[in-house]
Amino acid sequence: MIELIVAARCTGCNVCVKVCPTDVFDVSDNGPPRIARPSACQTCFMCELYCDADALYVGPDCAASGAVEEQALLAQGALGRYRRDSGWGAWSSDPDHSNEHWRMELVFALARALDSADTPPR
Ligand code: SF4
Ligand code: SF4
């Protein structure tokens, strides 16, 4: 789930606003976009993938927001890690970082559970 935007890194490009499929963000007149509808976040990581400034953090839990701390995330190098490990942008030609999707595990597990719940017994 979307957790935070680091204002000091955000360039105000508003790409995250455009790519979010569920309209989570609102454009701000000055400063970074506002996380206006966090409960609409479907943890697709699109905003992280498209943020060239590595200013966004999406947590792996698709059901609830976690207690994240900006300085801790920065110290861990968590911002931009998903872009890197997915082989996007500057990492696209690096064979060590090729579309690992490692943080989607919980999302895929939930999708599988929902799918099996919808499947009628045979
Ligand atoms: S994509 Fe990144 S840099 Fe651009 S507005 Fe969103 S958070 Fe800021
Ligand atoms: S993770 Fe997906 S749904 Fe959530 S804010 Fe980012 S782009 Fe929108």
Side-chain angles (χ1 to χ4, degrees):
M1 186 168 283
I2 182 71
E3 299 287 2
L4 57 78
I5 297 174
V6 175
R9 286 192 172 189
C10 177
T11 62
C13 68
N14 289 319
V15 167
C16 55
V17 182
K18 295 186 187 115
V19 301
C20 177
T22 54
D23 197 26
V24 165
F25 305 102
D26 277 347
V27 172
S28 292
D29 289 339
N30 39 43
R34 208 164 52 84
I35 302 173
R37 289 163 290 279
S39 62
C41 177
Q42 58 183 10
T43 319
C44 68
F45 294 96
M46 293 296 281
C47 53
E48 266 207 46
L49 287 172
Y50 278 93
C51 179
D52 285 343
D54 294 337
L56 282 161
Y57 181 73
V58 178
D61 191 335
C62 50
S65 180
V68 299
E69 210 273 302
E70 182 176 313
Q71 288 308 316
L73 291 174
L74 289 167
Q76 292 161 12
L79 287 124
R81 190 187 293 163
Y82 185 72
R83 261 167 59 78
R84 182 199 68 193
D85 289 357
S86 298
W88 274 54
W91 306 101
S92 61
S93 57
D94 186 331
D96 289 338
H97 302 290
S98 55
N99 204 20
E100 295 175 26
H101 277 93
W102 53 269
R103 244 161 57 192
M104 295 294 277
E105 184 180 350
L106 288 172
V107 181
F108 291 154
L110 177 63
R112 281 194 298 274
L114 290 171
D115 183 52
S116 61
D118 285 345
T119 304
R122 297 182 184 186

